[in-house]
Amino acid sequence: MQVVILAGGRGTRLGEHAQTIPKPMVAIGERPNLEHQILLAQRHGFTNVLLLVSHLSERIESHFGGGERFGVKISYCAEDPPLGTAGALRHASQLLEDRFLVLYGDIFIDCDLARLWAHHVDSRALATLVVHPNDHPDDSDLVETDADGRISAIYPKPRPENQYLPNSVNAGVAVIEREILAMIPPGQHLDLARDIFPALARNGRLRAYHSAEYFKDFGTPDRLAHVRSDFESGKTARLSRSHARPAVFLDRDGVINKDVSHLSNPAQMELIAGAAESIRRLNQAGYLVIVVTNQPVVARGECSLDALRLIHSKMETLLGRERAWIDALYFCPHHPDKGFAGEVPELKFDCMCRKPKTGMFDQAVRDWNVSLAGSYCVGDSRRDIVAARRMGIVPVGVRTGSACLDCDALDLPDWLADDLRGAVEIILASSGSAQS
Ligand SMILES: [Mg+2]
Ligand SMILES: [Zn+2]
């Protein structure tokens, strides 16, 4: 398998850190970033490495040579002048295999690349982009995906204040089919994200791979300091999907947002005070934050799937403005009782996902390699508490929303907090963080 690394970047904004070396050669721990990437790729079975170089390329070639030291075969392709990410690929077309992984050399990455590759192969897309939530979505280009994982649109920044989008940021890692080279005219300065991917999205041939792993650009001295400290503390490796991580499962209505009966309109989505800050603390402690929510309003015909998507996009936008994110969201659109005007008959059945059943939790565990040991569930009703018990994770009740008033003596939560803030206080005090 082939990995192509875009290593032509200049570290203009990195000042003294990259004056005499190309940006991908900046050290993280004891190795240049590019060496981390090559070793990561090699561990996942990529032994053919193509480096697209320009600025100070001799520094790269003298360090890596033919790659023998790293267990890979390295070739180089130099562009002068720089052609942008798509232009550089076109320029290197003679050296590209039919399918290749692309990494940006100025991003620190710890990701299960083999799983990403397999996901792409199964999808028949022309390209698969890794997307992830970050703590500054308003300042990032965002992608929107449909229920099948196809990217339906890309929204570059800046965007209007009232445009609500999911917190799905292009992470700078993609698997690409050679076929797309036909879309790139030779000799032009063209950018994959700006000039090529939007057209693929319009044709339905671009897919997203959602990840909660570590991807961070180190383009400013501040960010570089961050990445270095995350690497030294072991955080970058801990977030890798190859390690099971504990999760905090959150109910939605009455826990994150104010409970209005039958919420069906984005205007009704309002965060409970302190919810964003609490979720941010869970993010920073290394927990997966996973929302599991019953939304029978869909089966009742009161809220379309499009409206629900917009409601969740608004929630993610509001959280993102306070630097908080959720890693995944599962909803149950079903309801068991038939016979009401306006209902959606095909969603009216006794499903396996409606809490207190555990279908959404089970799916999340499979999707995200969740460690149930050390995981929690925060909810405001008996269904949440019972589901948590069935999963063998710690239920924490809150007094917001339905306030767990429907819990009888047998179904009491382990803890009852005033609100999500109190619940997170309890979680962090009893476990410190998800780092164990
Ligand atoms: Mg609730
Ligand atoms: Zn369901």
Side-chain angles (χ1 to χ4, degrees):
M1 299 189 291
Q2 183 178 41
V3 57
V4 180
I5 306 180
L6 300 158
R10 284 168 183 271
T12 353
R13 288 198 293 163
L14 272 175
E16 50 171 326
H17 299 284
Q19 236 147 45
T20 54
I21 52 171
K23 198 166 155 197
M25 291 302 281
V26 168
I28 312 290
E30 294 183 341
R31 307 173 191 281
N33 187 59
L34 196 49
E35 188 175 324
H36 285 291
Q37 292 191 335
I38 289 172
L39 292 173
L40 178 77
Q42 193 270 347
R43 280 205 302 283
H44 289 102
F46 297 83
T47 49
N48 177 3
V49 178
L50 173 59
L51 299 181
L52 305 185
V53 294
S54 67
H55 177 61
L56 296 171
S57 59
E58 64 286 355
R59 298 295 298 262
I60 296 180
E61 299 203 32
S62 66
H63 184 87
F64 292 101
E68 301 79 7
R69 230 158 31 96
F70 308 96
V72 296
K73 183 183 150 300
I74 300 181
S75 4
Y76 299 85
C77 183
E79 8 145 17
D80 189 24
L83 292 166
T85 51
L89 281 180
R90 180 69 176 77
H91 179 66
S93 62
Q94 306 278 0
L95 300 167
L96 293 172
E97 295 183 359
D98 287 346
R99 177 180 291 147
F100 47 89
L101 172 73
V102 175
L103 307 179
Y104 290 72
D106 52 3
I107 295 178
F108 188 88
I109 295 163
D110 199 333
C111 166
D112 184 342
L113 297 171
R115 185 174 189 268
L116 161 67
W117 184 270
H119 185 270
H120 170 83
V121 170
D122 288 344
S123 77
R124 298 171 31 87
L126 285 180
T128 297
L129 309 191
V130 176
V131 301
H132 70 137
N134 73 12
D135 66 2
H136 52 282
D138 270 350
D139 189 31
S140 309
D141 295 346
L142 298 177
V143 308
E144 195 158 48
T145 49
D146 66 16
D148 297 325
R150 251 188 304 272
I151 294 179
S152 45
I154 300 178
Y155 298 90
K157 59 175 188 186
R159 293 174 298 268
E161 174 94 349
N162 58 357
Q163 186 175 24
Y164 299 129
L165 292 170
N167 186 344
S168 295
V169 179
N170 181 354
V173 178
V175 185
I176 294 179
E177 298 291 315
R178 185 187 171 83
E179 272 178 80
I180 75 153
L181 295 181
M183 301 171 61
I184 310 172
Q188 289 192 28
H189 190 285
L190 290 167
D191 183 69
L192 280 174
R194 202 188 49 234
D195 303 312
I196 307 301
F197 291 153
L200 285 180
R202 280 193 296 277
N203 298 331
R205 303 298 304 276
L206 187 64
R207 293 187 80 90
Y209 175 86
H210 292 269
S211 173
E213 296 162 299
Y214 195 92
F215 307 90
K216 207 166 265 178
D217 138 272
F218 51 84
T220 65
D222 245 20
R223 288 189 199 154
L224 178 60
H226 243 98
V227 170
R228 282 177 169 163
S229 107
D230 289 343
F231 177 76
E232 301 291 350
S233 72
K235 182 174 186 179
T236 54
R238 256 191 327 270
L239 299 191
S240 162
R241 198 183 181 284
S242 43
H243 302 278
R245 277 166 74 185
V248 177
F249 292 93
L250 300 177
D251 175 46
R252 195 193 81 180
D253 300 314
V255 173
I256 299 175
N257 57 280
K258 295 179 186 166
D259 199 8
V260 299
S261 89
H262 301 196
L263 193 160
S264 57
N265 176 334
Q268 298 168 298
M269 165 54 70
E270 277 184 74
L271 299 182
I272 293 174
E277 177 206 333
S278 310
I279 291 173
R280 184 172 73 232
R281 292 184 68 194
L282 295 174
N283 297 142
Q284 288 169 348
Y287 284 99
L288 287 162
V289 176
I290 300 176
V291 175
V292 281
T293 174
N294 289 351
Q295 291 301 327
V297 281
V298 180
R300 290 197 195 102
E302 295 165 0
C303 180
S304 68
L305 286 173
D306 282 343
L308 188 63
R309 200 187 338 266
L310 201 54
I311 288 164
H312 291 152
S313 293
K314 180 173 178 186
M315 178 173 75
E316 292 198 47
T317 303
L318 297 178
L319 290 172
R321 288 181 184 158
E322 296 187 61
R323 299 184 11 254
W325 71 85
I326 54 175
D327 292 293
L329 180 145
Y330 296 83
F331 63 88
C332 164
H334 311 113
H335 194 266
D337 307 327
K338 289 193 177 70
F340 298 90
E343 69 185 18
V344 182
E346 61 273 23
L347 295 177
K348 284 284 188 174
F349 67 96
D350 194 12
C351 66
M352 295 307 290
C353 44
R354 180 170 161 79
K355 293 179 285 185
K357 291 186 181 168
T358 58
M360 293 188 281
F361 294 80
D362 297 329
Q363 187 63 46
V365 168
R366 286 193 292 273
D367 290 347
W368 300 94
N369 196 13
V370 172
S371 148
L372 290 175
S375 288
Y376 295 80
C377 173
V378 183
D380 68 329
S381 81
R382 180 178 171 277
R383 294 179 203 289
D384 306 315
I385 308 307
V386 172
R389 288 262 180 255
R390 289 178 176 170
M391 291 304 293
I393 62 180
V394 180
V396 183
V398 289
R399 293 194 186 87
T400 45
S402 309
C404 296
L405 295 176
D406 59 346
C407 291
D408 54 38
L410 290 175
D411 302 319
L412 290 175
D414 285 16
W415 309 87
L416 188 58
D418 282 340
D419 53 15
L420 184 55
R421 198 191 306 234
V424 167
E425 213 52 74
I426 290 166
I427 292 168
L428 295 181
S430 45
S431 64
S433 73
Q435 299 188 1
S436 58

